[in-house]
Amino acid sequence: PKRVQVLRDNVPLFEGEETVLHIGPRDQFTLRFVKESFVEQSIYVNDPRTGLVKVVLDTKKEKWSWAWGMKPQAAPEALAGRIYAAGEQAIFAMDSESGKVKWQQGRLLPAVTAPPRFHPTGLLYCGCGRDLVGLDPSRKEGDSIVFRYTADAIVSSPPTFSADGAIAYFGCDDGKLYAVDLNSASASPFLWKYRMPQKVTAEPVEIKGVIYVACTDGTLYALKLGEKEPEELWKFTTGGLLDAAP
């Protein structure tokens, strides 16, 4: 099969890394490398035609596949023996060994517009329309939403978190970078929003008080975080579209 040949010919990904491979005019695969144990290393392939596929690197063979009933939105995430995959209207968790669905959340979500990311607490945060939503995978469907913040526009980037896990940063279609307090007990956890030249679709990266943002205007921005809105330290223009995390 094509997907096995792709893996054989391609350099393996680093753990947690994802990439999109174009095989032909219509063939597109999203890959995620997961080191599940010292023995088995696997690639998870989001094939829009056949579904989510697990391929073991040692054998280059498919271990299981799971058919999507909708368009996949992003490469899957892995945590504690489960593979979390986001589709247009729902998020699913499959057992990494068997491929069986163990959990899902969909009925209370609008369209998933930004891929999910795991918080250090084990909660799962993703963009759903204009909402940044926090999900608790230990709860059953219908009771798993534990956080919701409504932005001014559609959430377009995965969130990233401050070093202490208290703040989430994410981009929206209105060209703004948002910061929200995940521990806030108030009705609005909003902290600030920062105007970018164009929308942000890539996950921001925060390192030692500086947040790095790849903007779709082709520029990488370094913003100094403070008590209020961040201040621009520098920017680097690439001359092309930036839609991947720095």
Side-chain angles (χ1 to χ4, degrees):
K2 283 185 179 180
R3 57 177 168 263
V4 176
Q5 187 65 37
V6 169
L7 296 175
R8 185 179 299 122
D9 293 344
N10 217 44
V11 177
L13 302 171
F14 293 103
E15 184 175 359
E17 185 179 351
E18 65 183 68
T19 188
V20 176
L21 299 180
H22 296 270
I23 316 306
R26 297 182 180 179
D27 295 333
Q28 177 174 305
F29 303 90
T30 306
L31 308 182
R32 168 77 74 175
F33 170 61
V34 178
K35 185 177 180 182
E36 296 180 327
S37 69
F38 292 106
V39 177
E40 183 178 289
Q41 296 180 350
S42 304
I43 289 261
Y44 290 86
V45 185
N46 256 343
D47 184 339
R49 297 168 302 179
T50 60
L52 179 64
V53 182
K54 177 176 180 176
V55 180
V56 179
L57 289 182
D58 284 346
T59 62
K60 309 293 193 300
K61 291 181 179 180
E62 176 183 311
K63 188 166 184 178
W64 54 256
S65 63
W66 178 77
W68 282 98
M70 62 192 75
K71 180 182 177 182
Q73 291 293 85
E77 290 282 310
L79 182 70
R82 288 185 176 185
I83 302 301
Y84 292 81
E88 286 182 306
Q89 293 90 29
I91 296 177
F92 300 88
M94 276 74 72
D95 181 87
S96 63
E97 281 299 310
S98 67
K100 293 182 178 180
V101 175
K102 295 295 187 181
W103 175 87
Q104 69 181 66
Q105 174 63 57
R107 289 180 297 175
L108 298 181
L109 298 180
V112 177
T113 55
R117 292 292 183 265
F118 273 107
H119 188 268
T121 59
L123 299 181
L124 193 65
Y125 287 86
C126 65
C128 300
R130 293 172 52 206
D131 294 341
L132 178 71
V133 175
L135 301 169
D136 186 347
S138 68
R139 298 187 180 186
K140 64 181 181 180
E141 181 180 8
D143 188 41
S144 63
I145 296 179
V146 295
F147 178 89
R148 188 190 294 270
Y149 168 75
T150 302
D152 296 334
I154 292 175
V155 178
S156 54
S157 86
T160 194
F161 308 107
S162 59
D164 60 4
I167 301 173
Y169 307 99
F170 59 95
C172 285
D173 269 356
D174 60 357
K176 295 174 184 175
L177 180 71
Y178 286 74
V180 296
D181 183 357
L182 299 179
N183 298 327
S184 175
S186 67
S188 176
F190 172 81
L191 294 175
W192 51 258
K193 52 188 173 183
Y194 183 85
R195 168 70 70 178
M196 307 295 296
Q198 292 183 25
K199 71 177 182 178
V200 175
T201 59
E203 180 179 354
V205 175
E206 191 268 334
I207 302 175
K208 295 182 179 180
V210 177
I211 191 163
Y212 300 89
V213 185
C215 186
T216 52
D217 70 341
T219 302
L220 176 65
Y221 295 86
L223 308 176
K224 178 67 175 178
L225 296 173
E227 294 184 1
K228 298 182 179 180
E229 285 190 11
E231 298 181 359
E232 183 181 304
L233 293 178
W234 54 260
K235 60 184 178 181
F236 177 78
T237 300
T238 65
L241 177 69
L242 281 182
D243 59 357

